[in-house]
Amino acid sequence: MPAVADTGTSCEDLVGTAISADDIGLPTSGAEVTTARVASPNTAGAYCLVEGRIAPVSADAPDIRFRVNLPLDWNGKAVHFGGGGYNGTVVTGTGSVPSAPAGTPTPLQQGYATFGSDSGHSSAEHPGGSFALIEESLVNFAYAALKKTRDVAVSLMETHYDHTPGQTYFVGSSQGGREGLMVAQRFPTDYDGVFSRVPVVNFTGQQLFVNALAEPILDGGWIDAAGIALLDATTRTTCDGLDGLVDGIISRPQDCDVDFEALLCEAGETAGCLTQEQIDVVEQFHAPLVLEYALANGVAGYPGFPVGGEANDWPFWVMGANGAPGFTVNLGADFIRYFIAQDPDFDTVGFDPNAPEWRERILEVSELLDATDPDLSAFHASGGKLILQENLGDNGRSAFAGLDYHASVTEALNKGRTDKFFRAYAVPKADHSGGAGPNDVDWLALLDRWVTDGRAPRDVVLQERGTDRTRPACEWPTWSRYFRGDPDQATSFKCMKAPGFKG
């Protein structure tokens, strides 16, 4: 589509613009623009920065605060940016797409209209997961704010440009990755393409899993930096060479059997080993959580985590400071406290998700939050395309959860049909933020090409940040094995079929 001039309402005149509740696809009390101004030019030119609020239905719920960026030289397309963590801050939409190589122009610099929101609460006013005590805020966080923000943003594009976008994409990582899968499932005709990186797809299962780590960590299982380094060295020694090359990258963690009991301290040992309590935590981290009942969409629990990446990720995500659990475990505690028990003073240590008194609430929350519905037939029928990136060195949430979701879609729709619109890639070594190995590629360009030209991505080349090392991102469930040549070049690897894979 050629560039579209702003033939409608000028930027400054957007201030005070009201969007009727009837023009928003889910219940609100309408929306309004509070500020609109031409922002300082970026490398692609100036844009109209629009901010506003979407009013709630319930008097006790906060507004959804949003931002929309309307480039003066519009390419006729739009990108919705997802959030992170428990959200609570307005997504600016001015940054890069997750995993974009350094120097790649941002979507806004490329002429995309971009937008995002705070998902319906302020983290300053509702810290942690406390917003979940307000029912409308919880539903907004789960999925509703996505639809409301999208409808308002598209309405403003039509007002400003006298034109709606030809293509609308969603991009997000972690929480934003979950949101990307959610819009494909719940609002299948609203988006032409979705890029979802490391999504917290099984949100409820994830939080139940990590919260369960708190008790054994606090009960003697906390591991210091030396112990984490020992774990990292052990997994690399055991698993690194399974892809034909010892290079610090574990390509097949699912095929690696690490004997953690071999690290047990003998009598009198205090260094270079782990206590039984510490080993128990490690083994629990890698073992699945199996519930006595199914969560939404028949999901039975949560998979364990892949081995690898301990030195990079564990000091923050799993083990905190001075014997306390890390960040992801604390997120799980907030989830139990606010989403499930609905009690800010609830003691989350030792919480039993199988206890009968909690099941109804857990299932209710799971139905709202979990982006695990495998029936993407409506998204496919509308022409939607979906790219999933899972990072195998991510210890903030398990890559196996997203890969399990891909498998569930394949089972529901069959492989031939799924391959027409859904591609998944498992990236070795890369961590939750995408560093620690070859990770970067311009997924938005590949997604846009797939949508507009019908050219589907296959095995693409990943770039490591700050180096010249590249590695193929193999279409799951194939994986990269070293063949011959320069070990730092993707051309030296082949994407291999996993044992038993008949695709």
Side-chain angles (χ1 to χ4, degrees), residues 83-161:
Y86 278 131
N87 291 336
T89 58
V90 178
V91 175
T92 67
T94 59
S96 299
V97 173
S99 294
T104 303
T106 68
L108 184 58
Q109 290 169 338
Q110 295 177 53
Y112 286 90
T114 64
F115 58 98
S117 77
D118 64 359
S119 83
H121 66 276
S122 164
S123 58
E125 297 172 3
H126 296 92
S130 59
F131 65 89
L133 298 175
I134 305 170
E135 183 63 20
E136 187 172 347
S137 297
L138 172 59
V139 175
N140 278 335
F141 171 77
Y143 64 86
L146 301 168
K147 171 65 172 172
K148 296 172 186 179
T149 302
R150 178 264 178 201
D151 288 356
V152 167
V154 170
S155 176
L156 289 171
M157 290 176 214
E158 186 170 19
T159 299
H160 183 56
Y161 296 118

Side-chain angles (χ1 to χ4, degrees), residues 321-347:
N322 303 318
F327 184 76
T328 190
V329 182
N330 292 326
L331 285 178
D334 270 350
F335 175 83
I336 301 300
R337 188 177 294 117
Y338 294 112
F339 289 66
I340 305 303
Q342 298 175 292
D343 177 1
D345 298 320
F346 185 79
D347 184 1

Side-chain angles (χ1 to χ4, degrees), residues 255-299:
D255 291 342
C256 184
D257 185 15
V258 182
D259 182 10
F260 294 111
E261 289 289 343
L263 301 177
L264 181 64
C265 295
E266 296 183 2
E269 277 190 304
T270 58
C273 60
L274 299 178
T275 67
Q276 188 61 60
E277 291 81 4
Q278 292 171 325
I279 291 172
D280 289 345
V281 169
V282 174
E283 292 183 336
Q284 182 172 327
F285 187 76
H286 296 300
L289 170 69
V290 181
L291 298 172
E292 296 173 1
Y293 54 95
L295 299 172
N297 302 301
V299 175

